[in-house]
């Protein structure tokens, strides 16, 4: 797949998307959005792919939304275009997406990472929502998703002071799931994605949907949703195979059916 601002390639059952605007520290403009959505759509449609990884460079996952692209925008343009709404489409991907973050993940970069299903951070990663320093505020989900990840106090601290947090702080407060040495970041993320891709795709997709539901509903509704989805899994060949494989002490051979 050829794109202007990203490299999209397959590694076994994993779709790997590498942001590729090094001179602008992977700043996210409308072309990056179009390219990411195009690649994700292709990986979603490819039955051989079971999970995806989005990564950047050693220096920057992404240093934010492209300030130069948006600096002259008027209020009316921003409002009429519903500026940034397009990024929401990424969160509608049904296959899991892991963000592999090294270096700066600032503003829209931090927000892009949070749109993924989980974040693996290099020890060099730095997260922040510095929009306040530009006279604005987060606009790609930072005020909402960061607060759900880290709680009100730390989210306020990040959004109102614009300070950065390092990988250790991000792990402590639950923003990232694990930290790995920078040199191993992409390999570790690909390994995690490959592990997921070896499981039953319908089970993985339903599990992702159930966890995401917890953000959007009451506990009682979420628990009911989980049980109903869990019940439906007994219609899968993969449930029979997974449990038979356990009983027979062998590796399961999932067929995504
Ligand atoms: C507003 C909303 C809703 C969302 C946002 O995301 S706003 C953007 C939030 N992000 C930021 O404010 C970070 C901006 N960048 C920086 O502060 C610095 O670039 C840095 C601390 C990440 C790295 O500093 P360093 O000195 O190492 O590198 P620079 O010389 O500053 O940058 C290299 C090159 O990249 C361009 N760049 C960096 N970030 C952006 C960006 N967000 N948008 C557009 N361009 C960006 C930077 O201008 C420079 O390019 P030139 O050499 O052509 O000037």
């Amino acid at each position: 797949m050829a794109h202007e601002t990203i490299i999209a390639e397959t590694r076994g059952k994993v779709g790997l998307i590498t942001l590729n605007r090094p001179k602008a520290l992977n700043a996210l403009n409308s072309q990056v959005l179009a390219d990411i959505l195009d690649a994700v759509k292709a990986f979603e449609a490819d039955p051989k792919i079971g999970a995806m990884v989005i990564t950047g460079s050693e220096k920057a996952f992404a240093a934010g939304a492209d300030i130069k692209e948006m600096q002259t925008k008027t209020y009316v343009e921003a409002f009429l275009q519903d500026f940034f709404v397009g990024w929401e489409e990424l969160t509608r991907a049904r296959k899991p997406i892991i963000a592999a973050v090294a270096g700066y993940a600032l503003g829209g970069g931090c927000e892009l990472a949070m749109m993924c299903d989980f974040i693996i951070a290099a020890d060099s990663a730095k997260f922040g929502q510095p929009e306040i320093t530009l006279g604005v505020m987060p606009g790609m989900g930072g005020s909402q998703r960061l607060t759900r990840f880290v709680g009100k106090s730390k989210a306020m601290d990040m959004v109102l002071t614009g300070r950065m947090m390092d990988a250790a702080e991000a792990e402590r407060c639950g923003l990232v799931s694990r930290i790995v040495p920078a040199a191993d970041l992409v390999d570790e993320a690909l390994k995690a994605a490959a592990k997921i891709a070896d499981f039953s795709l319908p089970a993985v997709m339903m599990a992702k949907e159930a966890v995401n539901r917890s953000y959007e509903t009451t506990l009682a509704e979420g628990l009911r949703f989980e049980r109903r989805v869990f019940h439906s899994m007994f219609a899968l060949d993969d449930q029979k195979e997974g449990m038979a494989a356990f009983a027979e002490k062998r590796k399961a051979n999932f067929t995504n059916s």
Side-chain angles (χ1 to χ4, degrees):
M1 280 177 259
H3 295 98
E4 217 176 285
T5 65
I6 63 165
I7 299 166
E9 55 199 322
T10 56
R11 300 284 180 90
K13 295 181 187 174
V14 178
L16 174 63
I17 296 170
T18 306
L19 302 179
N20 191 28
R21 290 189 78 206
K23 285 187 189 145
L25 302 186
N26 291 328
L28 304 169
N29 63 16
S30 39
Q31 189 59 50
V32 180
L33 170 63
D35 286 348
I36 291 179
L37 291 182
D38 185 66
V40 167
K41 210 167 139 195
F43 290 139
E44 284 269 278
D46 184 342
K48 295 188 290 303
I49 296 296
M52 293 168 247
V53 171
I54 299 182
T55 195
S57 69
E58 234 173 85
K59 179 160 181 184
F61 175 72
D66 193 321
I67 299 165
K68 293 163 192 167
E69 184 185 65
M70 69 184 149
Q71 71 180 113
T72 58
K73 213 173 259 305
T74 66
Y75 164 71
V76 171
E77 283 165 354
F79 178 75
L80 291 182
Q81 294 161 4
D82 204 358
F83 190 41
F84 289 144
V85 72
W87 288 96
E88 286 299 311
E89 205 174 322
L90 187 63
T91 65
R92 289 195 279 277
R94 297 178 75 208
K95 293 177 183 175
I97 306 179
I98 300 172
V101 175
Y104 297 111
L106 303 179
C110 185
E111 292 166 309
L112 169 59
M114 290 189 291
M115 285 177 211
C116 297
D117 295 305
F118 62 97
I119 302 172
I120 298 181
D123 45 19
S124 64
K126 287 188 185 65
F127 298 87
Q129 297 290 159
E131 292 90 342
I132 202 75
T133 67
L134 300 168
V136 290
M137 59 172 277
M140 282 169 57
S143 66
Q144 306 302 302
R145 289 197 180 93
L146 185 66
T147 308
R148 281 165 168 79
F149 273 105
V150 307
K152 178 181 166 184
S153 186
K154 197 175 283 281
M156 283 289 192
D157 179 3
M158 303 301 296
V159 169
L160 298 184
T161 69
R163 77 172 175 91
M164 293 184 210
M165 66 164 102
D166 64 15
E169 184 179 358
E171 188 186 35
R172 271 200 310 279
C173 68
L175 179 57
V176 312
S177 69
R178 41 179 136 151
I179 302 174
V180 298
D184 302 336
L185 176 69
V186 175
D187 282 350
E188 287 295 327
L190 286 172
K191 221 188 286 172
K195 183 172 181 149
I196 294 167
D198 268 344
F199 293 131
S200 163
L201 183 59
V204 163
M205 287 167 64
M206 288 183 216
K208 166 171 169 162
E209 196 172 332
V211 174
N212 280 335
R213 185 61 69 101
S214 73
Y215 275 103
E216 283 158 14
T217 193
T218 62
L219 179 61
E221 277 306 316
L223 291 171
R224 198 187 338 270
F225 178 79
E226 179 192 75
R227 268 197 318 279
R228 294 293 170 256
V229 177
F230 173 72
H231 297 158
S232 75
M233 288 177 161
F234 288 82
L236 293 175
D237 291 343
D238 284 343
Q239 173 269 326
K240 299 290 176 287
E241 167 61 11
M243 294 193 182
F246 174 80
E248 293 160 19
K249 299 187 189 303
R250 62 174 173 80
K251 191 177 182 305
N253 177 27
F254 294 120
T255 54
N256 298 338
S257 57

